[in-house]
Amino acid sequence: MARKARRKSAARARFTLTSPDIRPNGTIGMEQVFSGFGCSGRNLSPALKWSGAPAETKSFALLVHDPDAPTGGAGWWHWLVVNIPAGTSALAKDAGKADGSNLPAGCTQIDTDFGGPGWGGPCPPAGDKPHRYNFTLYALKTDRLDTGGASASLAGYMVNGHSIAKARLTGKFGRKT
């Protein structure tokens, strides 16, 4: 009976994703902004923390996407990390190094729209309205996704196919002309 009560309690817990670096719907700081394409940020991925994942979670995936990018509707993939171990509840600031050295063991990064793995911070076109950057953490029902060579879209498809819950944090960033 106690086990059933614990499951109900876990099911009621709200799956949340937070960051000390980004307030919900707040402006993303220059520390996270890309360095290149006319942007002069430090390109450090933000620290992220989560809680309330379903008890049956076997791994996590983090997908960071800008739906406002002028790409003909595809948006822009800024960071994709899969195979985050189930016991993980946070990623440290600058976990998004291209070589994966600041990620928990076993994680896999997918190539972003910048052309390689790792965090690629915001850098919208100058003069555009502020873009939204959706950090979506997925609780998955599988220990591991075999994403070898997968594009960002294929990885997203695989993540969604194994998702049992998701939590989202959105930050915004724009550049003046």
Side-chain angles (χ1 to χ4, degrees):
M1 190 62 118
R3 187 179 202 173
K4 191 174 186 177
R6 271 187 297 211
R7 262 193 261 139
K8 275 189 174 182
S9 174
R12 283 189 220 132
R14 187 168 163 232
F15 188 29
T16 59
L17 176 64
T18 60
S19 173
D21 302 315
I22 302 170
R23 288 187 343 268
N25 294 308
T27 300
I28 295 174
M30 290 303 294
E31 187 174 59
Q32 279 72 50
V33 171
F34 192 70
S35 180
F37 298 132
C39 290
S40 57
R42 292 188 51 211
N43 202 45
L44 298 177
S45 59
L48 298 168
K49 184 177 180 182
W50 56 91
S51 62
E56 62 271 21
T57 299
K58 293 185 177 177
S59 69
F60 295 99
L62 175 70
L63 280 59
V64 182
H65 185 254
D66 170 5
D68 302 315
T71 57
W76 190 273
W77 290 103
H78 286 266
W79 195 23
L80 299 94
V81 185
V82 298
N83 302 328
I84 302 169
T88 307
S89 61
L91 294 178
K93 184 181 291 193
D94 200 24
K97 287 181 179 272
D99 66 4
S101 61
N102 285 354
L103 287 168
C107 291
T108 302
Q109 294 185 101
I110 308 298
D111 285 354
T112 70
D113 286 330
F114 287 104
W119 169 256
C123 185
D128 266 14
K129 68 176 181 157
H131 287 206
R132 295 167 291 159
Y133 297 86
N134 296 319
F135 293 72
T136 308
L137 183 72
Y138 295 82
L140 304 179
K141 61 185 173 186
T142 186
D143 292 335
R144 185 157 191 79
L145 293 174
D146 182 12
T147 56
S151 67
S153 291
L154 178 55
Y157 177 81
M158 294 168 72
V159 165
N160 274 286
H162 292 278
S163 176
I164 54 177
K166 62 184 174 180
R168 178 174 285 170
L169 171 66
T170 300
K172 296 178 181 177
F173 186 78
R175 293 193 302 148
K176 295 183 176 164
T177 54

